Amino acid sequence: MYELTSKLVVYRGLEPDSILMKLADIYHRYDMGERNLSGEVLTQITRLLDVSTKYGFNHNLWHNYLAYVLAMTETPFTLVSEKSDPVDGSVNTFVRNDLSIFKQLFDFDFSQMERDLNLNCFSVIQDYHAVTKKEQVYNKSVSEKVQELSREIEEAEDVDAVYAAVTGFYKKYGVGKLGLNKAFRVGQKEDEDLLVPITNTGDMQLQDIIGYELQKKRLIENTEAFVQGRKANNVLLYGDAGTGKSTSIKAILNQYYPDGLRMIEVYKHQFKQLSEIINEIKNRNYRFIIYMDDLSFEEFEIEYKYLKAVIEGGLEPKPDNVLIYATSNRRHLIRETWHDKQDASKDDLHKNDTVQEKLSLSARFGVQIGYFKPTPKEFQEIVEGLAARNPDLKISKEELLRQANAWEMQHGGFSGRTAKQFIDYLLGQNAE
C-alpha cells in the first residue's frame, strides 16, 4: 500500500493524517517486519467507522471511503473537471496513473496482514451491514453520491472506465464540500473552516406551503433565472410571522440543488465576514444564495452598512454566482421612528438623508415579496390541506375547523405556522 500511495501525483496532497496515508504508513512498517501494529490498525478502523456513520455508508466501507477521498479532494484538475468535460493534455497521464493506483487500492488484499496480526477488521468493513434507524440523521446528499461513485469504480474493468466514472462524477456533482453539500453555516470555532456543511436541511417542498401561489411563482422565476445563468435579483421576503417565508427559501434549495444551487446561512453578527465568504465561493461552478433569516436592525446597530457595501458598492462587484435572499417581518429592515422624520431633534441637520439611508438597504433587494396573514377562510383551507396529508387523522371536517378556530385564538392568530402546530397537536393526541 505504501508503494502505491507514494506514487500519487495529482492526488498527492492528501493530508498525512488521513486514514489512507496512516494505513499506508502502517503497511510500510509491516512490510519492514514490524508486527506490534494491531492497536494502530484498529485506531484507523475506528476513524473509518466514524466517517461511515457520519455519511451513512454501508456494505464495503473501504470502497466508500476511497470514493469519498476522490470526491472530496480539491486539486486544479478536479476543480477544472467540475466546470468542463475532460480535455486531452499531459495532466491526464498523471490522472490516469493516480486512478489506476486507486483501483488497485480498491482491490487491495488485507488478508495476509489480518492473519499475521490476528485481526478480522478489514473483512468486516468490506462486508458491513449498518444498523440504521428511520430517524438517524446523516448527510444524505454526500452519502448517496459517494456510494454511487464507489459502485461505478467497483464495476470498472480498466482505468479508462475509472477515469470516466470519476470525471463524470465531478462534472455532474462537483468536488469537495461545496460540491457535495447543499447548505453551509459560518464556522464559529477556531478549528472550524470558514464554511461548515449543514448535514440535515430538511425535505420541505414548495407544495408543502398551502396558498401563497403568486409569492412562490415570483420566487421560482427569480431562482430559475439565477441557476440558469441569467440575470436575477436579490430577494427580500417580508411580512407577518409564521406565513412561510423561511420555509419557502429552504424549499427553493431542495428544488434547485440538483441544478447547482447551494445556500450559506449568515447571521448579522457575521456580516464582517461577507467579503471573505464571497471570495471563497466566487470562482466555483455553483450558484450560491447567501441566506439571512429574520433580518432586521435596531437604530443602534450598524451591521447593515456591511451588507449594503457587499450588495452594491466597492471596487469589486458582487460575483454573478452569488445572490442574497433574506426574510424579515419588516419591509424596510431597519427600525424607523418618528424621531427620524420630525424636526424635534437638532442633532441631524438633514433629516431626509437619515431616512433615505435607512430605506436604501431594502431598495437593494430587486425582488420584494410580501407574505401576509391568511384570512379566516384561507386559514381554514390551510388546516384542511394539512389534515388531508395525514389520512390517519380521524376527525370530521366540522370538528377539525371548530378546534382549529379555538386553537388559533390561543396560539398567535391566523398563520400557516399556527395551522401546522395545530395539526401536530392533533397527531400527537391521535398517537396516544
Side-chain angles (χ1 to χ4, degrees), residues 7 24 258 292 351 380 432:
K7 295 177 181 177
M292 304 170 181
K351 308 299 177 185
Q380 291 183 347
E432 291 182 4

Side-chain angles (χ1 to χ4, degrees), residues 182-207:
K182 284 184 180 181
F184 307 85
R185 61 176 176 82
V186 180
Q188 295 296 297
K189 301 177 182 177
E190 290 185 4
D191 60 341
E192 286 186 324
D193 294 336
L194 176 63
L195 298 178
V196 179
I198 298 173
T199 58
N200 184 30
T201 55
D203 57 359
M204 61 284 294
Q205 302 294 325
L206 283 172
Q207 58 264 30

